[in-house]
Structure formats: structure tokens, C-alpha cells
């Protein structure tokens, strides 16, 4: 029986990915820094505990992240240990259009994809659009501002739970290097997303939607971070908000 390791199994994508694999009857162990009843303890940044965690593992679903520079040593350590352990499939997440927007975090995503590709471990990379939680956060963090400021871009937000389920589905299949990009059910303007957020949260603060100059903004304005051909997700941003703020 294939044995799966899900890194970041306490995370917003890793949790649902591990749950979806278990629901399908798979043999799954999670990986977090503190471990737990269904997870081994290992630190991907230092590599501590990794060799033991990968013993007997056939497929790794990599969803652990610090969402900062630590993600590079984390993946380097993971791929080196996975290669040494003879892992047959590494499934990892990335971001739609990360190679087309000159943003430091996106450049790092491209670097991470390159590390995985060069590792020699059979691979599937799944790029996804922005999560509902991220769009919500963009508005929510401005809680002390008299208005909500946001650039005039569009987004195609997707539920992290649905991304997790997709990662599980890919893990149960054969390596395909790059899976087709996935996004949420609708592409919406920031103005529309803010209106939904305002309605759900009861906020009375207006939106100040501004045009941002520069190449980074030009990429987002052109919509290179969208996947309109693949509206994989079912839950809309409004449905996510209604559930969270009811
Ligand atoms: N947000 C978006 O819109 C979006 C869109 C596309 C792709 N993504 C990508 O989706 C991935 C998941 O991100 P997320 O924000 O959803 O993650 P998250 O919920 O913050 O979860 C991060 C997970 O990583 C684990 N972790 C962190 N540092 C670790 C370490 N040193 N060793 C072992 N485990 C560690 C955490 O476990 P412990 O803390 O318990 O150790 C936790 O389970 C990221 O690669 C992100 O870039 C995000």
C-alpha cells in the first residue's frame, strides 16, 4: 500500500489534503514541527527528523511553508532527503503566473519549482490562484484604516480546502511534472470582492481602489495570475465569507 507523507498537515491546505487522502483509505502521516497523534515531528528548515520521517514513504505532498525565505532551505532539505529515501512522487504547490510577475515572493516560487525539478524526484507541481483567506486578509488587516485601500486588480479566489483535495487527488495519481493551473469559480474585481466582504462583515468603510504603476502591477492588471480556463473551485468568495462571518 502506498504510504503518503503530508508536510504542513496542520496548515490550511495540508490539513484538508491529509484528510482527503485518509477519506480515500490511504495510509497517511503528517509532518509538522511539533508532531502529534497523526504526524511526525521534523523541522524542514534544519532538516532535523527528516530522514526518519521519510523512511518507508512512497509519496510526499509538500504543503509546509513559512511563506518567507525559509521555504528555500525547507524544500532543499526535503528534496535531498526524499531522493535519498527513494520517494517515488513529490507533489507541491505553487502560484499561478509566478513566472510572469516580477514580485520577490513570486520569484522565490519559481526558484522553488526549479529546486524540485532539479532534484530528480518524480514530481507534480500544482499552481493555484489566491485563496479566499488571503483576499479576506487583505481587507481585514486594514482594520484601523478609515478606508480599505486596494489596487485595481482582479482575483479568482479559491477555497484552500478545495486546493487540499486537489493535492490529494494528484498524489494518488502518477507524476505529471506540471498539472493544469487551478482557480476559484469566478474572476472578480477588487471592487466586487470588497463589496462582498463589506456585506458579510458589516464594515461601513469605503474602498479606495487605486491604479498602481510598474511592471509588477502591470502583470496583475493583465491577469497573468488568473486561471479562467480552469474554474476548478466550487465555493465562491461570498460563500466563504458567509460561512466565516455568519
Ligand atoms: N495564500 C494563497 O493565496 C496561496 C495561493 C497559492 C499557493 N499558496 C501556497 O500554499 C502553501 C501553503 O501555505 P499556507 O499559508 O496555506 O500554509 P499554512 O496554513 O501557514 O501552514 C503552514 C504549515 O507548514 C508547517 N511548517 C511551517 N514551518 C515548518 C518547518 N520549519 N518544518 C515543518 N513544518 C513547518 C506548519 O506546521 P507547524 O507550524 O505546526 O510546524 C503548518 O502546518 C504555501 O506554499 C503557499 O505559498 C498560497
Amino acid at each position: 500500500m502506498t504510504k503518503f507523507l503530508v508536510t504542513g498537515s496542520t496548515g490550511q491546505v495540508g490539513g484538508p489534503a491529509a484528510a482527503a487522502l485518509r477519506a480515500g483509505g490511504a495510509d497517511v502521516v503528517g509532518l509538522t514541527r511539533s508532531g502529534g497523534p497523526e504526524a511526525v515531528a521534523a523541522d524542514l528548515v534544519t532538516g532535523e527528523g527528516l530522514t526518519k520521517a521519510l523512511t518507508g514513504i512512497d509519496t510526499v505532498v509538500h504543503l509546509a511553508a513559512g511563506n518567507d525565505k525559509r521555504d528555500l532551505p525547507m524544500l532543499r532539505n526535503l528534496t535531498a532527503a526524499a531522493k535519498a529515501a527513494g520517494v517515488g512522487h513529490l507533489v507541491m504547490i505553487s502560484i499561478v503566473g509566478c513566472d510572469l510577475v516580477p514580485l520577490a515572493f513570486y520569484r522565490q516560487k519559481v526558484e522553488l519549482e526549479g529546486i524540485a525539478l532539479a532534484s530528480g524526484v518524480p514530481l507534480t507541481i500544482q499552481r493555484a490562484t489566491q485563496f479566499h483567506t488571503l483576499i479576506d486578509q487583505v481587507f481585514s488587516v486594514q482594520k484601523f484604516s478609515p478606508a480599505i485601500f486596494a489596487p485595481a486588480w482582479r482575483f479568482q479566489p479559491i477555497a484552500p480546502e478545495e486546493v487540499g483535495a486537489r493535492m490529494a487527488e494528484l498524489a494518488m495519481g502518477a507524476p505529471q511534472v506540471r498539472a493544469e493551473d487551478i482557480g476559484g469559480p469566478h474572476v472578480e474585481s477588487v471592487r466586487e470582492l470588497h463589496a462582498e466582504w463589506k456585506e458579510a462583515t458589516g464594515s461601513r468603510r469605503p474602498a479606495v481602489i487605486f491604479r498602481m504603476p510598474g511592471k509588477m502591477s502591470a502583470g496583475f492588471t493583465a491577469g497573468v495570475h488568473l486561471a479562467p480556463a480552469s474554474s476548478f473551485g466550487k465555493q465562491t468568495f461570498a460563500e466563504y465569507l458567509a460561512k466565516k462571518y455568519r
Side-chain angles (χ1 to χ4, degrees):
M1 191 183 192
T2 307
K3 190 153 186 196
F4 297 85
L5 178 79
V6 179
T7 73
S9 53
T10 48
Q12 58 175 341
V13 190
L21 282 166
R22 285 192 184 107
D27 183 0
V28 187
V29 64
L31 183 156
T32 65
R33 282 168 290 193
S34 49
E38 293 183 313
V40 290
D43 191 325
L44 288 164
V45 175
T46 62
E48 201 183 331
L50 252 186
T51 304
K52 194 172 165 211
L54 283 161
T55 304
I57 297 296
D58 302 294
T59 297
V60 174
V61 185
H62 180 46
L63 295 165
N67 284 314
D68 56 26
K69 287 204 164 102
R70 288 173 298 174
D71 290 354
L72 292 166
M74 282 166 76
L75 184 61
R76 283 196 195 100
N77 287 334
L78 179 67
T79 50
K83 181 79 182 157
V87 166
H89 191 186
L90 169 66
V91 184
M92 65 175 265
I93 190 162
S94 189
I95 301 178
V96 173
C98 60
D99 50 337
L100 298 171
V101 182
L103 181 68
F105 187 63
Y106 279 25
R107 277 194 210 104
Q108 178 166 295
K109 284 290 180 197
V110 176
E111 196 176 342
L112 289 165
E113 291 183 356
I115 290 168
L117 283 162
S119 71
V121 180
L123 178 70
T124 302
I125 297 170
Q126 175 66 72
R127 290 183 176 182
T129 56
Q130 284 64 45
F131 301 161
H132 291 325
T133 42
L134 180 72
I135 305 297
D136 180 17
Q137 204 182 352
V138 167
F139 300 137
S140 299
V141 291
Q142 302 185 48
K143 58 185 170 199
F144 299 117
S145 170
I148 304 291
F149 294 85
W153 302 335
R154 291 164 298 147
F155 290 98
Q156 189 180 351
I158 187 167
E161 295 84 359
E162 292 178 336
V163 177
R166 173 66 177 154
M167 301 304 287
E169 188 186 333
L170 291 171
M172 286 188 272
Q176 48 182 291
V177 187
R178 260 287 291 280
E180 193 189 336
D181 292 355
I182 57 167
H186 302 306
V187 174
E188 294 175 88
S189 68
V190 158
R191 192 169 293 286
E192 289 167 320
L193 294 164
H194 173 261
E196 289 163 17
W197 180 85
K198 208 171 153 201
E199 165 89 27
T201 59
S203 164
R204 307 175 106 197
R205 285 163 302 148
V208 177
I209 312 292
F210 59 92
R211 298 217 162 268
M212 194 189 280
K215 285 188 184 158
M216 184 266 284
S217 182
F220 284 118
T221 304
V224 298
H225 61 303
L226 306 173
S230 171
S231 54
F232 170 86
K234 298 282 175 276
Q235 188 192 50
T236 65
F237 185 58
E239 286 165 353
Y240 155 80
L241 292 170
K243 203 170 158 193
K244 178 173 175 189
Y245 293 104
R246 72 179 158 214

